[in-house]
Amino acid sequence: MIQPLTSPRTEAASPLIRIENLEVSFSGFKAIRGLNLLLAPGELRFLIGPNGAGKTTLLDVLCGKVKPSKGSVKFKDKIDLARHQEHQIAQLGIGRKFQAPSIFSTLSVYENMLLAVKQKRGIFGALFTSSPPQQRARIRHYLEMVGLAHKETAAAGSLSHGEKQWLEIGMLLSQEPELLLLDEPAAGMTDSETGKTGELLQRISRSQTVVVVEHDMEFVRQFAQIVTVMHEGATLREGTMEEIQNDDKVAEVYLGRRTERHDEG
């Protein structure tokens, strides 16, 4: 069986991501202002906050979709992400999943995974060239991990919404990134699917760092290890969910408001 990429979780370990004095401006509007953030290897970090707090913009910076106006974003303390394009950042080991699943509906679950593993070859090359045993083992390992091994021959379009989300997470995992960026992975799921998704994220974080933007506060309460509360483009508070819930400032600007899922502006 293929073993997942491992990163020992110790207090002495260097941060996987180090963000210092980050600013992002759009036509004069500061979406992020003076943000400082450290992400440790093997961490499950949830980002919460009101609409427009800068959460999705932060993910955009980490994956290279948006470039900083000021400040620095370092990966493994030496790689300046601002100097790299999206495809280069993906190759460095940072995977991004957007809220809506992006899969090939007419292809099987296994074929979708195969495309993710052989992404440099194109669709024809990926599907019609033989795969070495190690590659097939890697695919089946991650299908087991996301709970879809029993559906590897099913058309991806026949999956439930939750299963499609798990498939896309599996496709990301098959590329073995060190950092996964997930935007509301449980949105639109049933209660059962939401619980399974939280458990999956906890399993992934045993070997990889996971950052989740989330609006469902019950989901955050159940599965978050560390929570960063963002407000007006900066960090308002950071800590365990218990610490966040007991913080008066957080309650004033966010937790006291509506907590159902909604799209970020």
Side-chain angles (χ1 to χ4, degrees):
M1 177 178 291
I2 299 297
Q3 294 301 314
L5 186 67
T6 57
S7 298
R9 189 186 309 175
T10 65
E11 293 183 3
S14 297
L16 187 68
I17 291 288
R18 183 188 298 272
I19 298 174
E20 295 181 335
N21 303 315
L22 178 66
E23 288 192 7
V24 176
S25 298
F26 300 110
S27 302
F29 170 73
K30 288 187 177 180
I32 295 181
R33 56 184 76 207
L35 180 71
N36 296 290
L37 184 72
L38 297 177
L39 293 174
E43 179 179 318
L44 177 55
R45 176 72 65 99
F46 278 71
L47 302 179
I48 66 172
N51 282 357
K55 306 181 297 297
T56 296
T57 301
L58 177 56
L59 295 196
D60 289 342
V61 170
L62 289 171
C63 76
K65 184 178 179 181
V66 168
K67 296 300 180 186
S69 306
K70 292 182 181 178
S72 66
V73 183
K74 296 291 182 65
F75 181 51
K76 297 194 282 192
D77 260 349
K78 58 185 179 181
I79 301 172
D80 184 354
L81 294 182
R83 296 179 178 272
H84 293 79
Q85 300 304 312
E86 280 187 82
H87 71 281
Q88 295 172 319
I89 290 175
Q91 291 168 359
L92 287 170
I94 297 177
R96 171 79 182 273
K97 183 195 175 308
F98 294 87
Q99 185 174 346
S102 178
I103 59 176
F104 292 91
S105 297
T106 58
L107 298 180
S108 72
V109 168
Y110 185 89
E111 288 169 336
N112 271 270
M113 292 288 289
L114 191 61
L115 284 177
V117 171
K118 295 183 173 183
Q119 56 180 326
K120 293 180 182 179
R121 293 195 176 190
I123 294 178
F124 184 86
L127 296 180
F128 296 100
T129 57
S130 60
S131 303
Q134 187 177 13
Q135 204 166 65
R136 295 195 295 272
R138 184 200 302 182
I139 290 173
R140 291 197 167 90
H141 168 73
Y142 287 113
L143 283 177
E144 288 279 359
M145 190 171 188
V146 300
L148 293 176
H150 65 297
K151 292 197 171 184
E152 68 172 49
T153 61
S158 70
L159 301 178
S160 70
H161 172 72
E163 289 171 336
K164 290 175 181 176
Q165 299 280 28
W166 300 334
L167 173 57
E168 191 170 15
I169 291 174
M171 292 165 68
L172 274 179
L173 288 173
S174 72
Q175 298 166 33
E176 301 190 327
E178 292 183 66
L179 173 63
L180 277 77
L181 309 173
L182 307 177
D183 202 342
E184 296 194 69
M189 290 187 178
T190 65
D191 289 344
S192 174
E193 289 174 335
T194 298
K196 290 179 180 178
T197 300
E199 292 167 0
L200 172 60
L201 297 184
Q202 289 181 331
R203 289 197 301 275
I204 294 170
S205 70
R206 294 171 189 163
S207 57
Q208 287 140 300
T209 301
V210 184
V211 178
V212 182
V213 166
E214 189 53 70
H215 286 291
D216 185 335
M217 292 307 301
E218 184 57 35
F219 183 63
V220 178
R221 288 187 188 98
Q222 287 186 48
F223 298 106
Q225 295 172 355
I226 302 177
V227 180
T228 295
V229 184
M230 294 183 66
H231 180 57
E232 296 181 347
T235 299
L236 178 66
R237 291 289 186 271
E238 188 173 287
T240 65
M241 193 59 199
E242 182 178 2
E243 292 168 338
I244 295 301
Q245 286 179 297
N246 293 328
D247 189 284
D248 292 340
K249 187 65 175 177
V250 173
E252 177 186 342
V253 303
Y254 184 53
L255 291 179
R257 298 181 177 184
R258 296 169 61 192
T259 59
E260 67 267 27
R261 296 186 181 101
H262 48 278
D263 294 331
E264 179 167 355

